[in-house]
Amino acid sequence: MQDIQTFIKQPENSKLFQQTTIGIEREGHRVTPDGKLALTPHPPKIDGSTSSFFIQRDFAESQLELVTPPVQTSKEVMQWLQAIHEVAIRSAENEERIWPFSTPPQLPADDDISVAQLQDPNAIKYREYLISAYGKQLQMISGIHYNLGMNDEFLHKWYEYAQSEEDFKQFKSNFFLRLARNFLRYQWILVYLFGATPAAHETFYNQPDDKFDHPIRSIRNSHLGYINKADVTYSYTSLKDYAKKLAANVKEGRLIAEKEFYSNVRLRGGKNSKELLKNGIQYLEFRLFDIQPDATYGITAQDIEFFRYFILYLVWMDTDSDMDDVYLGNQMKTQVAEENPFEPSQYQSEGQQVLTDMESMLDAIHAPQVVFDALHVMQQRMQDSTLTPAARFYNQAKTDSQFVDLGTERAAENYAKAMEIPYALGGFTDMELSTQLLLFDAIQQGYEIDILDRDDQMIRVRYGNHDEIIKNSNITSRDSYSAFHVMTNKEVTKKLLAEAGYTVPRSTIFNQEATAKEQLEAFTHRPIVVKPKSTNMGIGITIFKEGADSEALRHAIELAFSKDDVILIEDYVFGTEYRFFVLDGVTKAVLKRDGAHVVGDGKQTIRDLVADKNKDKLRGEDHRSPLEKIALGKEEETTLEMQGYTFDSIVEAGKKVYLRDNSNISTGGDSIDVTASMHSSYKQIAEGMANTLEVAITGLDLIIDDMTEPATLTNYAAIEANFNPMMMMHIYPAQGESVRLTKELLDFLFPEKTVF
Amino acid sequence: MQDIQTFIKQPENSKLFQQTTIGIEREGHRVTPDGKLALTPHPPKIDGSTSSFFIQRDFAESQLELVTPPVQTSKEVMQWLQAIHEVAIRSAENEERIWPFSTPPQLPADDDISVAQLQDPNAIKYREYLISAYGKQLQMISGIHYNLGMNDEFLHKWYEYAQSEEDFKQFKSNFFLRLARNFLRYQWILVYLFGATPAAHETFYNQPDDKFDHPIRSIRNSHLGYINKADVTYSYTSLKDYAKKLAANVKEGRLIAEKEFYSNVRLRGGKNSKELLKNGIQYLEFRLFDIQPDATYGITAQDIEFFRYFILYLVWMDTDSDMDDVYLGNQMKTQVAEENPFEPSQYQSEGQQVLTDMESMLDAIHAPQVVFDALHVMQQRMQDSTLTPAARFYNQAKTDSQFVDLGTERAAENYAKAMEIPYALGGFTDMELSTQLLLFDAIQQGYEIDILDRDDQMIRVRYGNHDEIIKNSNITSRDSYSAFHVMTNKEVTKKLLAEAGYTVPRSTIFNQEATAKEQLEAFTHRPIVVKPKSTNMGIGITIFKEGADSEALRHAIELAFSKDDVILIEDYVFGTEYRFFVLDGVTKAVLKRDGAHVVGDGKQTIRDLVADKNKDKLRGEDHRSPLEKIALGKEEETTLEMQGYTFDSIVEAGKKVYLRDNSNISTGGDSIDVTASMHSSYKQIAEGMANTLEVAITGLDLIIDDMTEPATLTNYAAIEANFNPMMMMHIYPAQGESVRLTKELLDFLFPEKTVF
């Protein structure tokens, strides 16, 4: 066996060594606003099936388990924790929130505590067995599990370097087994550093005698915590032994199932030991963490980084713990858990030595500065026990009532934070709003998600074996690239729509600016639109509702040609413009846009009315919100002037005053949902247009004389078909019903997913 | 009935009036290089089924019928005629070509003339009946049919203006019936102006007595031509009458089928008169044209324009011919056809009057100048009969041997023109080369085609009711827009490929130029590639095969960042790069690219060797050909210098000398097809990659150590996946087998189309 430190020290290997994956599972009980355990069922808005990826239930019906995907950085872990937390909070009813501590809140009578009402009857039976074996209270403890995988290239390179005679799978399993043994030997250090359950509410204890007579470091790691009966046997010497012993425990009735084996490290690689044996160990799950009472999401980025490098140190260190070390380590863990947090640990000197050695490793592998910072914090804790979470928490919550008050208060703070910006998803606010909503819905609906490229707004959603890649919230595999090109080409779009019998404005196409200018007289003094052939966002378009003179038309032609090599001069159609959002052949939402305006009340100035309107949480700036604040700028001033107003005018009650001529949402306009009141004939037209263009997801702009009258050949015109249409304005309209298009989109992409 | 002239004179209506559709059908016999009727079957490369859209068979197996789609301009008609002609010529075997005259070439014995061997036994039976009724020779005459439709908006507006009490369908049919009657009344003018069959080869005549004793204007319109027996009745007074009489002729055995009714105008709108009655008349087919002996494609743009406006004049004119006029017109037609072309027509003064009146219309509707020019040519012909095609043609081909020689020569000229640039499609040379090939194949394979947008390289191909829109020759409905985005994002592409187990070079991604520069030392002195994240064409990429020093790497980073906000620094993989073209999960072609080079012969200078190599027809300039000519510029000079050569060096026999370091086709490189010799394991890898990326049409770049050895995890690397990959280099490689990917693409898009 070659020396692993020599290997890791090689710069390229150092880099790979530190590239572990991390995934966190955080448990926490739903509680009422006054800090009582929620007795309600799992929130019906959240997928409660066992396949739900991010939000699951643990032992109790009230016990949420928030699960992040495996990612590389602590920053990403925190983003996921925040996002999942927000989805859980916003999906719950009755303003329920999450209890912020590992020890449960004040518990109701045993009979009122319901085990998780999962569909699988075996899952319920298992939970009932746990109650009989360990008592309900113990199972109500919440914690944090930490999943860590090594970089596969690192393992391959180390395998080659080590010149092992084992096959790679075996080598990899043995690598993880050694790591697991070392972990079990030194786990007490983590119990010391992160223990945060010095006491529990009196309702937690089965017998008053159970209660410790002094604060401790971690109830969950104490003799009251998750410990199997003494007759349960185990081994970490080889994967085969591990699996054999585990199976024997179950077969011989010492465990009801393999998952009842409580160890602070779990070998992961299959559903059960048989599968694990076949696949080999893929990663390890570390299960000893208490929820950190101060951390909004139960753990901090610093904790995550420290822990990652602590584990890496267990790889790096010379020690190869044997089973005696493991037994010893498990004993030490319980001892340390039961120590008084205001006193140094009995094993302090070993702890100090380990942290010092860990620092040498950090130097040798050029670890980032944040890890050194984290280590120094932990070194101080090791030096001074009063700095540990257990001690600090106990100081704040010595009595049961202090504990309840503090938990209720923290839960309220965390709740308020999660509710702050209802249309955004914390952790992902750098992405487009509609992608944030899609992520929100995907988490809520139980899908698995990968962020393939944040900057590129590209995500992958998975259900079972079915993947869908989604870009910009509605570019999917269900629309073809040729359909995109057709819709980008206004002329072809119109040709196809006209062929199919839809009313489209007549238009003339020009390839040359000179030709357009020569012929411009033919287009003056009648209602027309001048636009570039291939742009999509209103750029370069000029509308002449009253017709144009030669000079104005000349300018419009020049503008359009500055945006494209080909332009159109098109009939302008009178009526109101509506946006139809069609998904999979069905009109899901119809919207009208109304320019920035206020309605007078006979008392307030326009300035005040605008300020009032801008208080709406949905209004923000720079497109980071569903609606835009109305500005009080030069253009608004001019628009008011034309109507004889200033910002300080008081407008009579009920009078509508526009501050902008255009109807864009981006300049403070209102989006008004009219899905219900739109005559069905126009919805059918929109659906037929989408069908003609062979597009699954599209926004169609129709100009309609009267939306309550049935469509004829002449009372409407199809003016535009948009690819990747906006969804926010339908989901958060200024007036009217919200249509949750992001959810509809997921239902469309995953028709096989059953409603839970 | 309102006055149609007043209506048409309104400027907007004038414009619509002139917007007719035009479609041409041009018949012509296949002949051998020495001018004999081809006795071979219909070219097997051409779809010979009755559904074949552009190339069909008429009466005889040798008689091609080239059919253009309905288009708006004579320019487009000519483009289609040229394209279809080229496809027909290049698809035929034994250097067969098309006989350039209406009267057939020297005919073999009757028994050697085969009727078209269509699949439908009734089609053959019908042709055999025609022989018995009219003789084989008559049916061997070829001509041109001209289909003309009116702008529908024009008809609608005229309908409203006319305040007709009929329904629109009836109104439209009556509009066309009046036009048909006027046409039949004045058709003699066209026979006079365009008659071009003054005589025929002696083998054409059944009986020597049939022969005229003087040249005439048009055999096809003479009593020897297509004329039904006298007992066949007909009426153009109403559509109902027309259909009734036609049906009666068939029922009572005067005609074997409705299509046996020979009229120089056919009412179109259905397969038979029953359907026609139901649909109403949609357009008219005019059938009296002789092939113009001088015109490469049988008719000229000027003829097409003249004819369009002549027909429009028949709408415009005050006359409303009745059935007596029609009978008279049919008589006059035959009389004029049999006139001596060197003498004025007996109806000259009527003809002159009509052309003069037509000129007034042209003035009134502001017709384009080209139409006036065409009219003036026709006025001169009317004035001076020796200027007519019949007279001019007779002067060139007075005797049978002159006729045969002239036809053989013309056919050879037209053949040479069609063969000139084998990789391009005449009429569409402004489009991308690969789109030209796709159009070629679609015509050959019998599909219908619309050019949706020439500039945008967007076409629509149809078979039956199945449409496919294709952009840039392989962007289709079968690839999703999300797959495009995935492949544009190199980082996501690699992530997905790595997940699926393919070997991809390791890479580091940088969002910030400063960060990349800070870390650049980690990448110096080892083989790397620096590239922008999201470009596709090699732009902004720097390759350091031998590793880079800091300075060079800094420059490469700056270059990459100048093309994208995000860049990659990637392992450079040694080996040879191959391009795999995968279609629908199957590797269709594999290509190697080799930089611009020559191979010495011990005699010629490099300059001469390059000149020699550049003679290849496939080599051109500015990407208008499959391969590029090798330049003799500064860069080539430098590359030679490094090897100790100048342009005037003589290189030893067999020695390969490169003039460029890169392998790009665009700088004179060779494309070398290696599809057959590539080890199948790499083809499977390419297919698996396409499957992973969920893309139907893609070009995958793999670097391979040795293409004859099976793939392992380490002897290849997947370096790029390309959307809309080039096809030309596979279809026209510099060495190796051609793979006709355009044809494969059509087969893929239309799996239901049976092989003919």
PDB file of all heavy atoms in Angstrom, chain B residues 26 85-86 89 97-100 293-298 407 409-419:
ATOM      1  N   ARG B  26     -44.186  21.129 -68.424  1.00  0.00           N
ATOM      2  CA  ARG B  26     -43.448  21.058 -69.669  1.00  0.00           C
ATOM      3  C   ARG B  26     -43.161  19.586 -69.986  1.00  0.00           C
ATOM      4  O   ARG B  26     -42.541  18.884 -69.187  1.00  0.00           O
ATOM      5  CB  ARG B  26     -42.113  21.825 -69.537  1.00  0.00           C
ATOM      6  CG  ARG B  26     -41.248  21.805 -70.781  1.00  0.00           C
ATOM      7  CD  ARG B  26     -40.085  20.844 -70.626  1.00  0.00           C
ATOM      8  NE  ARG B  26     -39.503  20.485 -71.911  1.00  0.00           N
ATOM      9  CZ  ARG B  26     -38.357  20.959 -72.380  1.00  0.00           C
ATOM     10  NH1 ARG B  26     -37.644  21.756 -71.640  1.00  0.00           N
ATOM     11  NH2 ARG B  26     -37.935  20.581 -73.569  1.00  0.00           N
ATOM     12  N   HIS B  85     -35.445  20.458 -64.543  1.00  0.00           N
ATOM     13  CA  HIS B  85     -34.730  20.010 -65.727  1.00  0.00           C
ATOM     14  C   HIS B  85     -33.385  19.401 -65.331  1.00  0.00           C
ATOM     15  O   HIS B  85     -33.014  18.313 -65.782  1.00  0.00           O
ATOM     16  CB  HIS B  85     -34.552  21.214 -66.663  1.00  0.00           C
ATOM     17  CG  HIS B  85     -33.925  20.869 -67.974  1.00  0.00           C
ATOM     18  ND1 HIS B  85     -32.603  21.109 -68.229  1.00  0.00           N
ATOM     19  CD2 HIS B  85     -34.431  20.306 -69.092  1.00  0.00           C
ATOM     20  CE1 HIS B  85     -32.310  20.704 -69.454  1.00  0.00           C
ATOM     21  NE2 HIS B  85     -33.405  20.220 -70.006  1.00  0.00           N
ATOM     22  N   GLU B  86     -32.666  20.084 -64.459  1.00  0.00           N
ATOM     23  CA  GLU B  86     -31.353  19.580 -64.042  1.00  0.00           C
ATOM     24  C   GLU B  86     -31.484  18.257 -63.300  1.00  0.00           C
ATOM     25  O   GLU B  86     -30.671  17.336 -63.480  1.00  0.00           O
ATOM     26  CB  GLU B  86     -30.631  20.619 -63.172  1.00  0.00           C
ATOM     27  CG  GLU B  86     -30.169  21.813 -64.001  1.00  0.00           C
ATOM     28  CD  GLU B  86     -29.256  22.767 -63.237  1.00  0.00           C
ATOM     29  OE1 GLU B  86     -28.945  22.504 -62.060  1.00  0.00           O
ATOM     30  OE2 GLU B  86     -28.859  23.786 -63.836  1.00  0.00           O
ATOM     31  N   ILE B  89     -32.240  15.523 -65.909  1.00  0.00           N
ATOM     32  CA  ILE B  89     -31.060  15.198 -66.714  1.00  0.00           C
ATOM     33  C   ILE B  89     -30.042  14.407 -65.909  1.00  0.00           C
ATOM     34  O   ILE B  89     -29.526  13.376 -66.335  1.00  0.00           O
ATOM     35  CB  ILE B  89     -30.400  16.502 -67.244  1.00  0.00           C
ATOM     36  CG1 ILE B  89     -31.299  17.190 -68.254  1.00  0.00           C
ATOM     37  CG2 ILE B  89     -29.010  16.229 -67.803  1.00  0.00           C
ATOM     38  CD1 ILE B  89     -31.260  16.614 -69.629  1.00  0.00           C
ATOM     39  N   ARG B  97     -30.904  12.813 -72.595  1.00  0.00           N
ATOM     40  CA  ARG B  97     -31.224  14.238 -72.480  1.00  0.00           C
ATOM     41  C   ARG B  97     -32.652  14.460 -72.931  1.00  0.00           C
ATOM     42  O   ARG B  97     -33.360  13.483 -73.206  1.00  0.00           O
ATOM     43  CB  ARG B  97     -30.238  15.035 -73.314  1.00  0.00           C
ATOM     44  CG  ARG B  97     -30.072  14.449 -74.697  1.00  0.00           C
ATOM     45  CD  ARG B  97     -28.704  14.714 -75.247  1.00  0.00           C
ATOM     46  NE  ARG B  97     -27.662  14.100 -74.429  1.00  0.00           N
ATOM     47  CZ  ARG B  97     -26.360  14.258 -74.644  1.00  0.00           C
ATOM     48  NH1 ARG B  97     -25.932  14.989 -75.652  1.00  0.00           N
ATOM     49  NH2 ARG B  97     -25.474  13.685 -73.861  1.00  0.00           N
ATOM     50  N   ILE B  98     -33.065  15.700 -73.023  1.00  0.00           N
ATOM     51  CA  ILE B  98     -34.473  15.969 -73.337  1.00  0.00           C
ATOM     52  C   ILE B  98     -34.600  16.582 -74.731  1.00  0.00           C
ATOM     53  O   ILE B  98     -33.895  17.541 -75.074  1.00  0.00           O
ATOM     54  CB  ILE B  98     -35.091  16.887 -72.266  1.00  0.00           C
ATOM     55  CG1 ILE B  98     -35.103  16.142 -70.909  1.00  0.00           C
ATOM     56  CG2 ILE B  98     -36.524  17.282 -72.650  1.00  0.00           C
ATOM     57  CD1 ILE B  98     -35.567  16.967 -69.749  1.00  0.00           C
ATOM     58  N   TRP B  99     -35.485  16.024 -75.526  1.00  0.00           N
ATOM     59  CA  TRP B  99     -35.728  16.527 -76.877  1.00  0.00           C
ATOM     60  C   TRP B  99     -36.316  17.933 -76.774  1.00  0.00           C
ATOM     61  O   TRP B  99     -37.267  18.163 -76.042  1.00  0.00           O
ATOM     62  CB  TRP B  99     -36.675  15.575 -77.612  1.00  0.00           C
ATOM     63  CG  TRP B  99     -36.843  15.933 -79.053  1.00  0.00           C
ATOM     64  CD1 TRP B  99     -37.979  16.427 -79.649  1.00  0.00           C
ATOM     65  CD2 TRP B  99     -35.867  15.829 -80.080  1.00  0.00           C
ATOM     66  NE1 TRP B  99     -37.765  16.638 -80.981  1.00  0.00           N
ATOM     67  CE2 TRP B  99     -36.466  16.287 -81.281  1.00  0.00           C
ATOM     68  CE3 TRP B  99     -34.516  15.410 -80.111  1.00  0.00           C
ATOM     69  CZ2 TRP B  99     -35.778  16.326 -82.506  1.00  0.00           C
ATOM     70  CZ3 TRP B  99     -33.838  15.459 -81.319  1.00  0.00           C
ATOM     71  CH2 TRP B  99     -34.467  15.903 -82.498  1.00  0.00           C
ATOM     72  N   PRO B 100     -35.738  18.902 -77.525  1.00  0.00           N
ATOM     73  CA  PRO B 100     -36.080  20.302 -77.251  1.00  0.00           C
ATOM     74  C   PRO B 100     -37.278  20.835 -78.038  1.00  0.00           C
ATOM     75  O   PRO B 100     -37.559  22.034 -77.942  1.00  0.00           O
ATOM     76  CB  PRO B 100     -34.797  21.035 -77.647  1.00  0.00           C
ATOM     77  CG  PRO B 100     -34.236  20.208 -78.755  1.00  0.00           C
ATOM     78  CD  PRO B 100     -34.620  18.781 -78.457  1.00  0.00           C
ATOM     79  N   PRO B 293     -38.519  26.431 -79.467  1.00  0.00           N
ATOM     80  CA  PRO B 293     -37.288  25.691 -79.796  1.00  0.00           C
ATOM     81  C   PRO B 293     -36.016  26.357 -79.277  1.00  0.00           C
ATOM     82  O   PRO B 293     -35.042  25.669 -78.983  1.00  0.00           O
ATOM     83  CB  PRO B 293     -37.275  25.666 -81.332  1.00  0.00           C
ATOM     84  CG  PRO B 293     -38.679  25.955 -81.734  1.00  0.00           C
ATOM     85  CD  PRO B 293     -39.279  26.798 -80.679  1.00  0.00           C
ATOM     86  N   ASP B 294     -36.045  27.660 -79.130  1.00  0.00           N
ATOM     87  CA  ASP B 294     -34.837  28.367 -78.680  1.00  0.00           C
ATOM     88  C   ASP B 294     -34.675  28.373 -77.164  1.00  0.00           C
ATOM     89  O   ASP B 294     -33.603  28.725 -76.663  1.00  0.00           O
ATOM     90  CB  ASP B 294     -34.898  29.839 -79.124  1.00  0.00           C
ATOM     91  CG  ASP B 294     -34.691  29.959 -80.622  1.00  0.00           C
ATOM     92  OD1 ASP B 294     -34.170  28.988 -81.222  1.00  0.00           O
ATOM     93  OD2 ASP B 294     -35.051  31.005 -81.185  1.00  0.00           O
ATOM     94  N   ALA B 295     -35.745  28.080 -76.460  1.00  0.00           N
ATOM     95  CA  ALA B 295     -35.717  28.262 -75.007  1.00  0.00           C
ATOM     96  C   ALA B 295     -35.189  26.997 -74.336  1.00  0.00           C
ATOM     97  O   ALA B 295     -35.702  25.905 -74.561  1.00  0.00           O
ATOM     98  CB  ALA B 295     -37.120  28.580 -74.483  1.00  0.00           C
ATOM     99  N   THR B 296     -34.150  27.156 -73.522  1.00  0.00           N
ATOM    100  CA  THR B 296     -33.532  26.007 -72.846  1.00  0.00           C
ATOM    101  C   THR B 296     -34.572  25.178 -72.108  1.00  0.00           C
ATOM    102  O   THR B 296     -34.515  23.958 -72.094  1.00  0.00           O
ATOM    103  CB  THR B 296     -32.466  26.497 -71.843  1.00  0.00           C
ATOM    104  OG1 THR B 296     -31.573  27.355 -72.527  1.00  0.00           O
ATOM    105  CG2 THR B 296     -31.699  25.327 -71.239  1.00  0.00           C
ATOM    106  N   TYR B 297     -35.510  25.878 -71.458  1.00  0.00           N
ATOM    107  CA  TYR B 297     -36.493  25.154 -70.647  1.00  0.00           C
ATOM    108  C   TYR B 297     -37.874  25.155 -71.301  1.00  0.00           C
ATOM    109  O   TYR B 297     -38.883  24.961 -70.658  1.00  0.00           O
ATOM    110  CB  TYR B 297     -36.509  25.715 -69.224  1.00  0.00           C
ATOM    111  CG  TYR B 297     -35.112  25.751 -68.667  1.00  0.00           C
ATOM    112  CD1 TYR B 297     -34.456  26.961 -68.409  1.00  0.00           C
ATOM    113  CD2 TYR B 297     -34.411  24.560 -68.484  1.00  0.00           C
ATOM    114  CE1 TYR B 297     -33.146  26.973 -67.956  1.00  0.00           C
ATOM    115  CE2 TYR B 297     -33.088  24.566 -68.040  1.00  0.00           C
ATOM    116  CZ  TYR B 297     -32.463  25.773 -67.781  1.00  0.00           C
ATOM    117  OH  TYR B 297     -31.160  25.780 -67.357  1.00  0.00           O
ATOM    118  N   GLY B 298     -37.892  25.430 -72.648  1.00  0.00           N
ATOM    119  CA  GLY B 298     -39.140  25.292 -73.398  1.00  0.00           C
ATOM    120  C   GLY B 298     -39.993  26.540 -73.463  1.00  0.00           C
ATOM    121  O   GLY B 298     -40.895  26.632 -74.298  1.00  0.00           O
ATOM    122  N   GLY B 407     -32.121  19.439 -83.366  1.00  0.00           N
ATOM    123  CA  GLY B 407     -32.642  18.951 -82.085  1.00  0.00           C
ATOM    124  C   GLY B 407     -31.558  18.268 -81.263  1.00  0.00           C
ATOM    125  O   GLY B 407     -31.450  18.478 -80.047  1.00  0.00           O
ATOM    126  N   GLU B 409     -28.366  18.798 -81.419  1.00  0.00           N
ATOM    127  CA  GLU B 409     -27.414  19.824 -80.971  1.00  0.00           C
ATOM    128  C   GLU B 409     -27.967  20.614 -79.774  1.00  0.00           C
ATOM    129  O   GLU B 409     -27.290  20.821 -78.767  1.00  0.00           O
ATOM    130  CB  GLU B 409     -27.176  20.761 -82.166  1.00  0.00           C
ATOM    131  CG  GLU B 409     -26.020  21.694 -82.027  1.00  0.00           C
ATOM    132  CD  GLU B 409     -26.001  22.646 -83.240  1.00  0.00           C
ATOM    133  OE1 GLU B 409     -25.968  22.128 -84.406  1.00  0.00           O
ATOM    134  OE2 GLU B 409     -26.085  23.864 -83.020  1.00  0.00           O
ATOM    135  N   ARG B 410     -29.209  21.059 -79.904  1.00  0.00           N
ATOM    136  CA  ARG B 410     -29.835  21.816 -78.806  1.00  0.00           C
ATOM    137  C   ARG B 410     -29.894  20.976 -77.528  1.00  0.00           C
ATOM    138  O   ARG B 410     -29.620  21.443 -76.431  1.00  0.00           O
ATOM    139  CB  ARG B 410     -31.277  22.201 -79.178  1.00  0.00           C
ATOM    140  CG  ARG B 410     -31.401  23.312 -80.141  1.00  0.00           C
ATOM    141  CD  ARG B 410     -31.282  24.687 -79.466  1.00  0.00           C
ATOM    142  NE  ARG B 410     -30.837  25.637 -80.464  1.00  0.00           N
ATOM    143  CZ  ARG B 410     -31.650  26.178 -81.374  1.00  0.00           C
ATOM    144  NH1 ARG B 410     -32.934  25.886 -81.390  1.00  0.00           N
ATOM    145  NH2 ARG B 410     -31.183  27.017 -82.262  1.00  0.00           N
ATOM    146  N   ALA B 411     -30.304  19.715 -77.713  1.00  0.00           N
ATOM    147  CA  ALA B 411     -30.409  18.823 -76.559  1.00  0.00           C
ATOM    148  C   ALA B 411     -29.048  18.688 -75.878  1.00  0.00           C
ATOM    149  O   ALA B 411     -28.948  18.698 -74.651  1.00  0.00           O
ATOM    150  CB  ALA B 411     -30.937  17.457 -76.974  1.00  0.00           C
ATOM    151  N   ALA B 412     -27.995  18.613 -76.693  1.00  0.00           N
ATOM    152  CA  ALA B 412     -26.640  18.489 -76.146  1.00  0.00           C
ATOM    153  C   ALA B 412     -26.233  19.749 -75.387  1.00  0.00           C
ATOM    154  O   ALA B 412     -25.636  19.681 -74.307  1.00  0.00           O
ATOM    155  CB  ALA B 412     -25.645  18.192 -77.261  1.00  0.00           C
ATOM    156  N   GLU B 413     -26.571  20.893 -75.945  1.00  0.00           N
ATOM    157  CA  GLU B 413     -26.261  22.167 -75.256  1.00  0.00           C
ATOM    158  C   GLU B 413     -26.979  22.224 -73.902  1.00  0.00           C
ATOM    159  O   GLU B 413     -26.385  22.592 -72.882  1.00  0.00           O
ATOM    160  CB  GLU B 413     -26.730  23.361 -76.086  1.00  0.00           C
ATOM    161  CG  GLU B 413     -25.843  23.684 -77.280  1.00  0.00           C
ATOM    162  CD  GLU B 413     -26.540  24.626 -78.269  1.00  0.00           C
ATOM    163  OE1 GLU B 413     -27.553  25.269 -77.879  1.00  0.00           O
ATOM    164  OE2 GLU B 413     -26.078  24.692 -79.418  1.00  0.00           O
ATOM    165  N   ASN B 414     -28.246  21.899 -73.951  1.00  0.00           N
ATOM    166  CA  ASN B 414     -29.026  21.962 -72.705  1.00  0.00           C
ATOM    167  C   ASN B 414     -28.516  20.946 -71.687  1.00  0.00           C
ATOM    168  O   ASN B 414     -28.499  21.210 -70.485  1.00  0.00           O
ATOM    169  CB  ASN B 414     -30.509  21.709 -72.987  1.00  0.00           C
ATOM    170  CG  ASN B 414     -31.094  22.772 -73.907  1.00  0.00           C
ATOM    171  OD1 ASN B 414     -30.486  23.834 -74.109  1.00  0.00           O
ATOM    172  ND2 ASN B 414     -32.257  22.489 -74.477  1.00  0.00           N
ATOM    173  N   TYR B 415     -28.105  19.805 -72.203  1.00  0.00           N
ATOM    174  CA  TYR B 415     -27.546  18.761 -71.338  1.00  0.00           C
ATOM    175  C   TYR B 415     -26.271  19.273 -70.667  1.00  0.00           C
ATOM    176  O   TYR B 415     -26.091  19.159 -69.453  1.00  0.00           O
ATOM    177  CB  TYR B 415     -27.253  17.523 -72.174  1.00  0.00           C
ATOM    178  CG  TYR B 415     -26.557  16.408 -71.422  1.00  0.00           C
ATOM    179  CD1 TYR B 415     -27.289  15.508 -70.661  1.00  0.00           C
ATOM    180  CD2 TYR B 415     -25.167  16.270 -71.488  1.00  0.00           C
ATOM    181  CE1 TYR B 415     -26.656  14.488 -69.971  1.00  0.00           C
ATOM    182  CE2 TYR B 415     -24.530  15.252 -70.793  1.00  0.00           C
ATOM    183  CZ  TYR B 415     -25.270  14.362 -70.045  1.00  0.00           C
ATOM    184  OH  TYR B 415     -24.639  13.350 -69.361  1.00  0.00           O
ATOM    185  N   ALA B 416     -25.389  19.857 -71.462  1.00  0.00           N
ATOM    186  CA  ALA B 416     -24.118  20.344 -70.934  1.00  0.00           C
ATOM    187  C   ALA B 416     -24.358  21.386 -69.844  1.00  0.00           C
ATOM    188  O   ALA B 416     -23.702  21.394 -68.796  1.00  0.00           O
ATOM    189  CB  ALA B 416     -23.271  20.936 -72.061  1.00  0.00           C
ATOM    190  N   LYS B 417     -25.326  22.231 -70.095  1.00  0.00           N
ATOM    191  CA  LYS B 417     -25.631  23.285 -69.109  1.00  0.00           C
ATOM    192  C   LYS B 417     -26.101  22.643 -67.796  1.00  0.00           C
ATOM    193  O   LYS B 417     -25.731  23.091 -66.698  1.00  0.00           O
ATOM    194  CB  LYS B 417     -26.704  24.215 -69.692  1.00  0.00           C
ATOM    195  CG  LYS B 417     -27.047  25.380 -68.826  1.00  0.00           C
ATOM    196  CD  LYS B 417     -27.567  26.568 -69.638  1.00  0.00           C
ATOM    197  CE  LYS B 417     -27.608  27.834 -68.814  1.00  0.00           C
ATOM    198  NZ  LYS B 417     -28.779  27.963 -67.975  1.00  0.00           N
ATOM    199  N   ALA B 418     -26.923  21.605 -67.920  1.00  0.00           N
ATOM    200  CA  ALA B 418     -27.469  20.969 -66.722  1.00  0.00           C
ATOM    201  C   ALA B 418     -26.405  20.217 -65.924  1.00  0.00           C
ATOM    202  O   ALA B 418     -26.530  20.031 -64.719  1.00  0.00           O
ATOM    203  CB  ALA B 418     -28.599  20.011 -67.099  1.00  0.00           C
ATOM    204  N   MET B 419     -25.360  19.788 -66.616  1.00  0.00           N
ATOM    205  CA  MET B 419     -24.316  18.989 -65.961  1.00  0.00           C
ATOM    206  C   MET B 419     -23.171  19.838 -65.440  1.00  0.00           C
ATOM    207  O   MET B 419     -22.263  19.321 -64.789  1.00  0.00           O
ATOM    208  CB  MET B 419     -23.758  17.962 -66.949  1.00  0.00           C
ATOM    209  CG  MET B 419     -24.756  16.955 -67.463  1.00  0.00           C
ATOM    210  SD  MET B 419     -25.548  15.997 -66.165  1.00  0.00           S
ATOM    211  CE  MET B 419     -24.249  14.812 -65.820  1.00  0.00           C
TER     212      MET B 419
END
